[in-house]
Amino acid sequence: MTTKEYETYYVPAQSHWPIVGAVALFFIAFGAGSYVSDLHAEQSGYGGYILIAGIALVIFMMFGWFSNVINESMSGKYSHQLDNSFRQGMSWFIFSEVMFFAAFFGALFYARTFAVPWLDGAGNNAMTGEVLWPDFTAAWPLLKTPDGTTTTAMGWYGLPLINTVLLLSSSVTAHFAHIALEQNKRPQLKIWLGITILLGLTFLFFQVEEYAHGYSEEMQLYLTSGIYGNTFYLLTGFHGMHVTLGTIMLIVMFFRVLKGHFTPESHFAFQATSWYWHFVDVVWVMLFVFVYII
Amino acid sequence: MTTDVLNETTNDHDSHDEHHDDHKMTGLKRWLYTTNHKDIGTLYLWFSFIMLLTGGALAMVIRAELFQPGLQIVEPDFFNQLTTVHGLIMVFGAIMPAFTGLANWMLPMMIGAPDMALPRLNNWSFWILPFAFGILISSFFMESGAPNFGWTFYAPLSTTYSNGSTAFFVFAVHIMGISSIMGAINIVVTIMNMRAPGMTYMKMPLFVWTFFITAYLLIAVMPVLAGVVTMLLTDTYFGTSFFNAAGGGDPVLFQHIFWFFGHPEVYIMILPAFGIVSTTIPAFSRKKLFGYSSMVYATSSIALLSFIVWAHHMFTTGMPLFGELFFMYCTMLIAVPTGVKVFNWVATMWRGSMTFETPMLFSLAFVILFTIGGFSGLMLAMTPVDFQYHDTYFVVAHFHYVLVTGSLFSIYAACYYWLPKWTGNMYNDSLSKWHFWCSLISVNLLFFPMHFLGLAGMPRRIPDYALQFADFNKWVSIGGFAFGLSQLIFLAVVIKCIRGGEKAPAKPWDGAEGLEWSVASPAPYHTFSTPPKVD
């Protein structure tokens, strides 16, 4: 039987932010659905505007919701136990993100190991190769698809290698910033956090450069270039979106640091952002190995 | 948990309640803005019941069409839309939200927590759902019609051959997934972080355990569903070829990713049911649950195994022989922990002082009928014979036995068990027994003959059939209409119970155990603002 004293767990009163968020997600889903359908049918519609309205509403909700949380936290309403809830919530959220990427990595592995060789007659699929795709030769990266679309492969040296170095260093600088915060060295915290943000932005810049290179006449590596282009753009694209989100989170943290938020003991938002940034980094290492190198 | 402790906490909490009640808003705003786990639980439960009736109405049209051979009422394409949306609504709109609703209502009260760990997130999780299903159902009224590729949305039916509403379907599934993941994170964090002092993991009620494990499954597989619908979207609208052999992809890849989500998903819909009957059977047998720790381990084993059995849905896709054998044996392994569970329920009843209140009736029906569904699952797990059963009505019979007489019956058992706690009134006993017996008889008339239809070769998802299937289909349809109507009795019971009835004591079932019975009936708006102590 524990004799530990329990602090009061703060249960917020009614909040209107969740319903704003639900309406925002409705606009996003409905808007995106209409936009994509109209795009496909080559007709114009209002989908894009609804989608943008939804995104704006989500940003508005996040500002409102998070400022509520920050105010409650700053006024000392939060107990240690509540802080734990936030931490555990964030870590399980990151786990769910890992599983999202796992689906795409799974598709990549399946295509490389099974689908592409089978199309060339591997295993018990001799007749598939013989009858359906007699001219097809299995290879990875798949530069010529069974229906004859050709493309070129993105090498791992050059931009991807630079980006790997950038992102790995940014994970280290993010950690330095975290240590500085825990030791209450505010100037160092600002510098390391600033460097992390710059590294993140540079990464994104090079990623756009790389895409431009891929879409050039020279490379002709498009989203539609068969399973290699599909997995390349969706994996790096979703990763890029996560880096973008992570960079925005870091920028928000930077301004909060400038405003004097966070103490060595209590800095959940900073910690969560840092975790998220490390997660994005780990995903990139996986990408670099399985999409670029091997 | 001794009775003395429970009484102590009751008194303790009455004093706290007055102080909190002034927070409660009234009218629509209360429900839109609420952060209270009981309010949100109520919202989930009503939403799921509305979805049950909606999905049920679609099923009634399906059964009306199948009442006789030939095409009578609906066009084949519309029939496909009906089966698709019926499945999606029942899985994602009726069963899953009902369990989340029960979790919301009961978990904080069972572990002695003041609320869910993240109350605002909780509200968001719920309110996404009506919008998601609004989008899904509204596609019936779009020019192209609703999704028509089955609830499993296999490629290329959902890519090359899909109709114009696929994008709406994809984004609706995306926001449903967001709702599920946030709801699951909330459940995990609540259980890990909010238990009353003294409530160790192995002292948690089994109900709490099953929701804990289910929430992990949700966090692990809902993102995979999001991934697969994203690939489906880009294949359909942006020219990728994940599921298209011409571009180096494979339609079978869709099935692998979908069922990697889909098989844990079916346990997401049954593990909480195990938790419910593990609560009700001991209560009405007036004995402790037999083999508590083996139940915990069995539930965990089922959850772990659920990740390595997915391809048993795909035996006929031409997998390598090794794959077929691996997935067959892994699937059969699941019968072991499931057998442990059924054994423990029966052993709990053995020499117990049993009484047969309505929650117990539904629980007993669950044990027997779910086991029938489990056995037909074992038959389907055998690769060679599955080649005959695949995509026949035998499969339809199997998953309706586990989902209707399994999951849904357990939800009814839970509702009757806790209605006195929720409303403060006892439900009308004779009406509730009418609900049970009408449901029991009609549900078997509805689903049992489907086994024979399937074994005789009637394919699923088809609006017309050969003449030799006519007699069974007629009886199935009659059972279907009767079962659908019987659910209206439940609506009547619940409404009557909310409006009045015999006042319920704090603990209406003398064999019941758990912290939730230590608070008054109806449960005060805020319970356990200071945690009770558990021995």
Side-chain angles (χ1 to χ4, degrees), chain A residues 160-232:
Chain A
L161 184 61
I162 296 172
N163 262 350
T164 308
V165 175
L166 288 176
L167 212 54
L168 283 175
S169 341
S170 78
S171 224
V172 176
T173 56
H175 186 62
F176 285 164
H178 193 189
I179 291 173
L181 171 58
E182 280 179 337
Q183 294 174 348
N184 212 11
K185 295 178 181 160
R186 305 293 285 198
Q188 280 94 322
L189 164 61
K190 284 171 202 161
I191 292 167
W192 287 123
L193 192 53
I195 295 174
T196 312
I197 293 167
L198 285 179
L199 288 170
L201 289 173
T202 321
F203 174 91
L204 285 171
F205 174 77
F206 282 143
Q207 183 84 59
V208 174
E209 282 284 294
E210 188 192 351
Y211 279 8
H213 183 51
Y215 264 74
S216 66
E217 277 301 309
E218 181 197 345
M219 280 205 71
Q220 302 199 358
L221 175 58
Y222 308 123
L223 176 64
T224 50
S225 302
I227 193 73
Y228 173 67
N230 305 157
T231 48
F232 175 81

Side-chain angles (χ1 to χ4, degrees), chain A residues 38-83:
Chain A
D38 288 341
L39 203 66
H40 193 61
E42 289 174 349
Q43 60 192 22
S44 61
Y46 298 107
Y49 300 110
I50 301 174
L51 175 60
I52 291 168
I55 293 169
L57 203 53
V58 159
I59 294 170
F60 171 66
M61 171 212 70
M62 285 179 140
F63 264 101
W65 189 329
F66 290 158
S67 68
N68 275 4
V69 172
I70 292 166
N71 289 337
E72 286 160 10
S73 168
M74 304 279 277
S75 59
K77 288 193 174 119
Y78 288 178
S79 59
H80 178 68
Q81 194 187 10
L82 195 113
D83 197 48

Side-chain angles (χ1 to χ4, degrees), chain B residues 289-490:
Chain B
L289 179 67
F290 184 88
Y292 168 87
S293 52
S294 68
M295 286 298 229
V296 173
Y297 297 129
T299 313
S300 316
S301 320
I302 294 174
L304 289 176
L305 283 171
S306 76
F307 286 102
I308 50 166
V309 296
W310 76 87
H312 65 213
H313 298 268
M314 310 161 48
F315 282 145
T316 59
T317 56
M319 269 189 294
L321 184 64
F322 174 78
E324 309 225 317
L325 291 175
F326 174 82
F327 287 108
M328 172 170 83
Y329 288 126
C330 287
T331 305
M332 291 188 154
L333 268 183
I334 292 182
V336 177
T338 313
V340 168
K341 286 183 161 290
V342 175
F343 178 86
N344 285 350
W345 292 322
V346 176
T348 306
M349 290 184 265
W350 176 253
R351 294 196 165 168
S353 317
M354 288 169 70
T355 48
F356 300 93
E357 287 85 345
T358 313
M360 184 60 164
L361 291 175
F362 272 106
S363 306
L364 289 173
F366 169 93
V367 173
I368 294 160
L369 298 176
F370 167 77
T371 305
I372 292 179
F375 278 134
S376 59
L378 262 180
M379 294 167 73
L380 287 162
M382 290 183 257
T383 310
V385 287
D386 180 69
F387 276 68
Q388 186 193 341
Y389 305 151
H390 187 85
D391 262 353
T392 66
Y393 259 79
F394 191 80
V395 179
V396 179
H398 160 68
F399 68 71
H400 281 96
Y401 260 88
V402 289
L403 280 178
V404 179
T405 59
S407 306
L408 184 64
F409 270 33
S410 82
I411 292 166
Y412 283 138
C415 288
Y416 284 116
Y417 186 63
W418 283 305
L419 261 177
K421 183 53 66 188
W422 298 339
T423 63
N425 303 317
M426 297 305 286
Y427 55 79
N428 183 313
D429 190 56
S430 59
L431 211 52
S432 74
K433 294 222 158 94
W434 273 99
H435 174 222
F436 172 73
W437 287 109
C438 289
S439 296
L440 182 78
I441 293 164
S442 60
V443 86
N444 281 294
L445 184 59
L446 167 57
F447 294 126
F448 207 79
M450 285 185 184
H451 290 111
F452 308 130
L453 282 169
L455 291 178
M458 179 167 157
R460 67 192 281 207
R461 291 173 177 157
I462 196 129
D464 188 8
Y465 49 82
L467 287 177
Q468 70 264 33
F469 303 129
D471 286 352
F472 274 138
N473 266 297
K474 185 179 72 187
W475 287 109
V476 166
S477 286
I478 291 170
F481 301 139
F483 184 69
L485 289 174
S486 308
Q487 305 325 302
L488 299 176
I489 308 176
F490 178 67

